[in-house]
Amino acid sequence: MQIQKEQIVAVIGAGPAGLMAAEQIAERGFEVHVYDAMPSAGRKFLLAGKSGMNLSHSEDFTQFKQRYRERSEVLEQCLQKFDANQIRAWAKNLGIETFVGTSGRIFPIDMKAAPLLRAWLHRLKANGVRFHMRHRWLGVDKDKHQFESPSGLVAIKFDAVVFALGGASWKRLGSDGTWIKEFAAQKIRVQDFQPSNCGFVANWSSFFQEKFAGTPLTNVSLSLDLGSNRSPSKLGQFVITERGVEGSLIYAYSADIREQIRTDEYADILIDLLPAKSPARVFEELAMPRGSRSLSSHLRSKLGLHPVHCALLYEILDPEILKDEIKLAACIKALPIRLLAPFPIDEAISSAGGIDFSELDSNYMITAKPGWFCAGEMLDWEAPTGGYLLSACFATGVAAGRGLVNWLLRQSADVSQSSNEGIK
């Protein structure tokens, strides 16, 4: 085993939360060493940016913070201290201009993650941050952090460390969640990981799977059936898959759907196939004489439904409902799709679960482990896509980095004071 000399500060995890923490610490003059199991930094960050890099969202902060659900209050302070405007200013300082899209999402002008990451890493290295790739954190033994490295097992003692090890989605990019066992063994309270921003299983027939898997449903409205009432609806789109449904509109409800399934073993979503038309208008057009035309032809010509809409109606509804114009019109405005389970967590965009916030102080330090700070998706919070995930990773990284700096400065001040008192 190779024993290295003591280093001042480590950041374990080279995703956006870890890099942001490293930046805060390096700017205060500390020597920072970043460790990551992967061959290069920011792999999940890069993949997330392939379809358009959502850095944050421009909506009013009161609404913005509610996207973090039960964690909105505990995250509020750090989200305010590094909000959307500050994220845009930070990107501009890296030479990356941003713009606000029609949806309110904030993007780099070129919509890409790679130029931003290159500029960011260049600045970090210029500030003295050293990167140690292919170093997988294994745990702690006698105050020394253990890493599996290309040269074998390495044991290092740090003055302070920021953990930014990620959640449990997209294992191939480094976020495998295996660290949670070591933290639990250290008596740190953790919540089991669960898929978030994920697809869900539906019991499609073989015909429907083969014919329509991969087909999008655009400009539909979705709400969640809550029994005696329903959730507020959202307009958007999702995709039919071989196993069920996925896409942005499903992701927006994924936490609620997951919790409903956990409680009832299923969840029913309600799809308005024609959100631009009133129930009365749908019934009026449906009730028009169709002559010799089939019901599918009538639905397409009079209501403008697409083949996948018609197929869904046949897939889900009983034949008797298809013959009843009043019931069929109601179902076109609220078609129930029963979902049975989330897709596997490794296929999810993000995850819920991780270190319980009750373990942390206001500086994102684990109270039972002085000098251990945590940031990013390894903390127990979740949010929808649209810039909210990155915003919280950035903000908690800033909070943990600044928290570590303040802690180290207090430690130095205490030592200095003790020394002065000893001299007296």
Side-chain angles (χ1 to χ4, degrees):
M1 177 187 293
Q2 178 185 356
I3 306 294
Q4 293 189 3
K5 67 178 182 178
E6 182 177 84
Q7 298 174 340
I8 295 177
V9 176
V11 174
I12 303 176
L19 296 180
M20 194 61 80
E23 185 165 43
Q24 306 305 308
I25 301 163
E27 285 176 352
R28 295 298 299 271
F30 290 91
E31 184 178 349
V32 184
H33 294 256
V34 176
Y35 296 83
D36 196 278
M38 303 305 288
S40 57
R43 291 205 160 194
K44 188 174 179 181
F45 181 79
L46 286 174
L47 186 61
K50 279 194 172 180
S51 57
M53 184 81 261
N54 284 176
L55 292 174
S56 188
H57 203 288
S58 63
E59 68 187 346
D60 176 77
F61 185 78
T62 301
Q63 185 175 3
F64 179 88
K65 76 170 188 175
Q66 295 305 320
R67 306 300 185 184
Y68 299 91
R69 299 168 59 84
E70 294 86 356
R71 301 293 178 261
S72 61
E73 296 301 322
V74 73
L75 287 170
E76 179 176 6
Q77 187 175 16
C78 79
L79 291 170
Q80 280 185 318
K81 287 184 176 179
F82 201 71
D83 64 10
N85 290 330
Q86 289 168 301
I87 290 172
R88 296 188 72 185
W90 165 80
K92 185 174 183 178
N93 195 250
L94 285 171
I96 306 296
E97 296 291 340
T98 59
F99 72 98
V100 179
T102 55
S103 65
R105 300 178 182 188
I106 296 170
F107 301 91
I109 289 291
D110 62 4
M111 303 288 286
K112 296 177 181 178
L116 189 153
L117 182 61
R118 282 197 299 269
W120 195 4
L121 293 174
H122 177 77
R123 185 164 74 185
L124 287 169
K125 291 173 183 177
N127 283 343
V129 176
R130 294 176 59 187
F131 286 83
H132 307 267
M133 309 312 295
R134 294 188 173 90
H135 278 65
R136 178 178 296 279
W137 185 78
L138 301 176
V140 181
D141 182 32
K142 298 178 181 178
D143 295 330
K144 290 186 173 63
H145 293 263
Q146 312 287 313
F147 294 91
E148 178 187 357
S149 79
S151 60
L153 188 64
V154 178
I156 315 170
K157 185 176 181 180
F158 304 118
D159 287 344
V161 58
V162 173
F163 290 97
L165 289 162
S169 64
W170 294 9
K171 185 188 302 183
R172 65 189 176 88
L173 300 177
S175 297
D176 59 15
T178 54
W179 58 264
I180 202 167
K181 295 179 181 178
E182 177 62 22
F183 273 69
Q186 295 285 336
K187 308 300 182 185
I188 297 166
R189 186 180 180 190
V190 293
Q191 302 296 334
D192 291 339
F193 282 122
Q194 302 176 76
S196 183
N197 292 299
C198 60
F200 291 87
V201 174
N203 190 22
W204 301 136
S205 66
S206 297
F207 170 79
F208 188 78
Q209 285 177 333
E210 294 170 7
K211 185 76 173 175
F212 293 101
T215 305
L217 274 80
T218 58
N219 297 318
V220 296
S221 181
L222 186 152
S223 60
L224 183 60
D225 186 350
L226 301 174
S228 58
N229 58 4
R230 65 172 71 174
S231 70
S233 62
K234 288 187 174 73
L235 187 70
Q237 66 179 31
F238 65 93
V239 177
I240 301 295
T241 74
E242 287 187 4
R243 291 175 293 170
V245 293
E246 66 177 336
S248 58
L249 196 52
I250 300 297
Y251 302 156
Y253 286 89
S254 64
D256 292 320
I257 294 170
R258 185 190 68 230
E259 294 307 306
Q260 186 103 1
I261 290 173
R262 188 162 64 173
T263 301
D264 299 334
E265 298 185 347
Y266 68 89
D268 289 333
I269 56 174
L270 301 172
I271 308 299
D272 184 346
L273 298 176
L274 296 170
K277 295 185 177 183
S278 68
R281 180 67 183 275
V282 171
F283 174 72
E284 179 185 333
E285 294 179 350
L286 185 62
M288 289 181 179
R290 60 184 170 99
S292 60
R293 286 180 304 179
S294 67
L295 176 59
S296 294
S297 296
H298 186 61
L299 292 171
R300 291 198 296 271
S301 63
K302 289 298 181 184
L303 282 86
L305 292 179
H306 296 286
V308 66
H309 296 153
C310 298
L312 265 175
L313 294 171
Y314 279 97
E315 176 77 7
I316 292 168
L317 301 179
D318 293 333
E320 294 304 314
I321 294 178
L322 293 169
K323 296 174 185 177
D324 187 319
E325 291 170 350
I326 295 176
K327 291 181 179 178
L328 179 55
C331 287
I332 289 171
K333 294 295 292 179
L335 182 65
I337 299 178
R338 178 153 293 185
L339 305 179
L340 304 174
F343 287 177
I345 193 168
D346 195 41
E347 299 175 20
I349 290 176
S350 59
S351 58
I355 296 172
D356 196 289
F357 274 92
S358 64
E359 296 292 308
L360 305 178
D361 68 12
S362 59
N363 288 311
Y364 285 74
M365 185 175 78
I366 298 175
T367 53
K369 295 286 183 179
W372 285 26
F373 296 78
C374 298
E377 282 194 69
M378 69 184 296
L379 300 174
D380 182 22
W381 59 272
E382 63 181 311
T385 58
Y388 306 106
L389 293 167
L390 260 183
S391 275
C393 286
F394 287 150
T396 56
V398 168
R402 291 174 180 173
L404 182 147
V405 167
N406 292 335
W407 184 81
L408 281 178
L409 292 176
R410 284 197 304 272
Q411 297 299 109
S412 297
D414 291 344
V415 170
S416 177
Q417 183 177 355
S418 298
S419 298
N420 291 334
E421 290 174 354
I423 293 172
K424 292 177 183 178

